[in-house]
Amino acid sequence: MHINLSAEMEQYLQSKVGTGFYSNASEVVRDAIRRMREEDEKLAALRAAVQIGDDQLDRGEGIPYTPERLETITAKALANSRNGKKVNPDPGLLIGS
């Protein structure tokens, strides 16, 4: 496979090799493609999560976002953080807790 790069992109690629982190240009390209795949996977997961939320809202399962709700979410996150627990990235899961 042959890839045509602009002079600017080729210079950048060579500068990455020049750092010593990569042995050659192919390693730089493979790493870039791996990172793009990871970003694509993250984006797909985010879109799926948004769709789940949209579907829940369409079914009337939403919870009003109030200052009190924000205080509850914040207090739970701070308590978890102080106790060495991971902070839950989905505050909707606080229902009933």
Side-chain angles (χ1 to χ4, degrees), residues 1-75:
M1 173 184 283
H2 295 281
I3 301 171
N4 294 320
L5 300 173
S6 68
E8 181 182 342
M9 291 180 94
E10 188 168 340
Q11 183 180 16
Y12 181 76
L13 190 132
Q14 291 303 326
S15 74
K16 290 305 224 177
V17 174
T19 66
F21 187 77
Y22 300 98
S23 299
N24 55 52
S26 292
E27 285 186 6
V28 179
V29 172
R30 281 192 295 270
D31 189 42
I33 291 170
R34 180 189 56 78
R35 291 175 188 217
M36 283 190 297
R37 286 177 110 175
E38 289 174 357
E39 281 299 313
D40 288 347
E41 290 168 3
K42 288 178 186 177
L43 185 56
L46 179 60
R47 286 182 172 145
V50 168
Q51 186 60 56
I52 290 169
D54 285 346
D55 293 344
Q56 289 171 334
L57 289 173
D58 289 344
R59 292 190 304 266
E61 298 172 1
I63 299 171
Y65 192 76
T66 63
E68 293 78 18
R69 178 102 178 113
L70 176 59
E71 286 178 25
T72 300
I73 293 167
T74 302

